Amino acid sequence: RWLAMAQDDFVLQLARVGGLPGDALRVFLALAAHLDYENFVVTPQSEIAAKIGMKPSHFNRGLSALIAEGVVEKGPKIGRMVSLRMNPAYVWKGSASNHRKALDERMKARGLSVVQTDSAARDELEAAGQTRFDGV
């Protein structure tokens, strides 16, 4: 089993003064251990908390901090349980091509443009009616 982690984003966030509060790092590591492909966590939170010997209230407090920081998001509901999804900018489990797609979707959802190549950037600017720059 493996997963990829973004050192700069997540580790620097932890290192800054104030970092993640309380048990958030323990919760993050426990969620990462239960990460399924495409970054979903479908194991019940109470089960994860029990496995790491954490009170559910402490687990929920750590999870709330991760959600507030944008490290974890609520995923789709599966039966009566709400799944979780880890932010692909911090950690990823799945194929590299699907990781790129997940990052692109997040950028588009925030109104940011996703450009793969210089020629694609030129085409996008021209399609938007912007002047083409010489030498670009």
Side-chain angles (χ1 to χ4, degrees), residues 43-98:
T43 306
Q45 297 167 28
S46 58
E47 184 178 319
I48 298 172
K51 281 185 180 180
I52 61 172
M54 185 181 277
K55 291 181 181 180
S57 60
H58 293 187
F59 186 91
N60 288 335
R61 191 173 24 233
L63 178 59
S64 294
L66 292 172
I67 291 171
E69 289 289 330
V71 177
V72 176
E73 302 167 344
K74 290 185 179 182
K77 195 169 184 178
I78 300 172
R80 295 184 318 173
M81 183 186 79
V82 175
S83 67
L84 299 171
R85 188 164 194 203
M86 304 288 271
N87 182 335
Y90 292 103
V91 63
W92 180 256
K93 183 174 181 180
S95 71
S97 61
N98 284 347

Side-chain angles (χ1 to χ4, degrees), residues 5 14 24 40 52 58 69 77 79 86 89-90 99 102 106 111 120 123-124 129:
M5 181 185 240
L14 292 176
F40 286 101
I52 61 172
H58 293 187
E69 289 289 330
K77 195 169 184 178
M86 304 288 271
Y90 292 103
H99 184 212
R106 289 182 64 78
D123 294 343
E124 187 176 307

